[in-house]
Amino acid sequence: MYPPQSPPPPPPYTYVPAPMPLPRPPRRWWQHPALIITALVVLPPAGIALAWTSQWERTQKILATVLSGVWFLIPLLSDAPKETGAEGKAQPAAASAAPAPSSSPPPSPTPTPTPSAEPQMPSAVGWPYAQAEKTVEELIDGELKALSAYADVSLPADHGTWLVCFQDVTAGSRLVAQSAAPVVHLVAPGTACPATPGTDLRPKPAAPAPAPTTAAPTPAPEPDDDGTGGSGGGNVSYKNCTAVKAAGAAPIHRGDPGYGRHLDRDGDGVGCER
């Protein structure tokens, strides 16, 4: 007999690394969870489509589809509220209470006469005179009077192209055919309007200034008896203090009629003191 043979030794252990998981593809903007959840609530069909294109697990996709579908079908499956019996009976009662139509037609309402619009003066400033005249004639079947805006400019016979600068009837005022004709002030085309009607276009030359007059010289006072200028004024003069006292003018002061230096010995302005 052969001796028992031992089993062959096992092969040497070789380490085999586990396969690495494949990396996930990058998430797109339409795969964002917040966007998908919002679409599932607001627009369920679009939200379901976005959920199945996302990177969610299969279980999450199925759950989101079921919940969004139920949310979408609830408003469609709900019936409109039916009318109650009391409301249904109230309608026939209201119909029976309506009065029967009358055989005679109702009287037609009497038309209210509307007053005709009164003609109003337009704003003719800046218009050619021909246009303003035609407008006024159509409104009141009357005439429009024209004057020159400048006092030193005559209005020609054909002034249809002259422009209106001023009008005596305010724009919007009521026009009456029987009243006086409205007046407008015109200027030639290309001429500026004056500040007020009746102004001169060409200013008049200024008058020459009067020549200055020379004042006549004042005559010097006549000298008194002592040769000094008298300050008394007038034709009164005294020869001495005796004459002053005889006239009752003593004492005589400087500035009094007849005062003279010969009467004031001390020169204090008072003569014939004694």
Side-chain angles (χ1 to χ4, degrees):
M1 295 187 61
Y2 295 99
Q5 296 180 357
S6 60
Y13 178 75
T14 304
Y15 174 74
V16 178
M20 297 294 292
L22 297 177
R24 286 189 176 187
R27 185 177 63 185
R28 306 296 181 182
W29 64 268
W30 62 81
Q31 296 175 342
H32 197 279
L35 176 62
I36 297 174
I37 295 174
T38 303
L40 289 172
V41 176
V42 178
L43 191 60
I48 293 173
L50 291 176
W52 283 95
T53 59
S54 66
Q55 298 178 359
W56 291 357
E57 300 293 338
R58 183 178 180 82
T59 306
Q60 295 176 344
K61 296 179 180 178
I62 295 175
L63 181 60
T65 302
V66 173
L67 294 178
S68 182
V70 172
W71 172 259
F72 179 71
L73 294 177
I74 285 177
L76 300 179
L77 298 179
S78 61
D79 296 334
K82 297 181 179 180
E83 297 180 354
T84 59
E87 295 178 353
K89 295 178 181 179
Q91 293 181 357
S96 60
S102 175
S103 58
S104 60
S108 58
T110 304
T112 303
T114 56
S116 58
E118 296 180 350
Q120 296 180 353
M121 181 67 183
S123 178
V125 176
W127 292 6
Y129 174 74
Q131 179 183 355
E133 183 183 26
K134 181 180 179 182
T135 303
V136 172
E137 289 179 353
E138 292 177 353
L139 290 175
I140 61 173
D141 194 16
E143 62 176 354
L144 182 65
K145 186 177 180 181
L147 297 175
S148 177
Y150 289 101
D152 56 347
V153 176
S154 300
L155 198 66
D158 184 12
H159 49 268
T161 58
W162 284 44
L163 303 179
V164 178
C165 279
F166 306 98
Q167 58 186 55
D168 64 341
V169 179
T170 308
S173 302
R174 186 169 62 93
L175 290 175
V176 182
Q178 293 78 10
S179 61
V183 180
V184 292
H185 299 266
L186 312 177
V187 294
T191 306
C193 294
T196 55
T199 307
D200 291 335
L201 178 61
R202 304 172 188 84
K204 298 178 180 179
T213 58
T214 305
T218 305
E222 297 180 358
D224 291 336
D225 295 340
D226 57 354
T228 60
S231 60
N235 297 326
V236 180
S237 61
Y238 302 104
K239 188 175 181 180
N240 48 34
C241 287
T242 303
V244 175
K245 293 177 181 180
I252 189 169
H253 299 78
R254 182 181 292 117
D256 293 343
Y259 172 84
R261 184 67 180 81
H262 64 288
L263 301 175
D264 188 5
R265 302 285 182 183
D266 52 3
D268 60 351
V270 181
C272 302
E273 299 175 340
R274 303 182 221 176

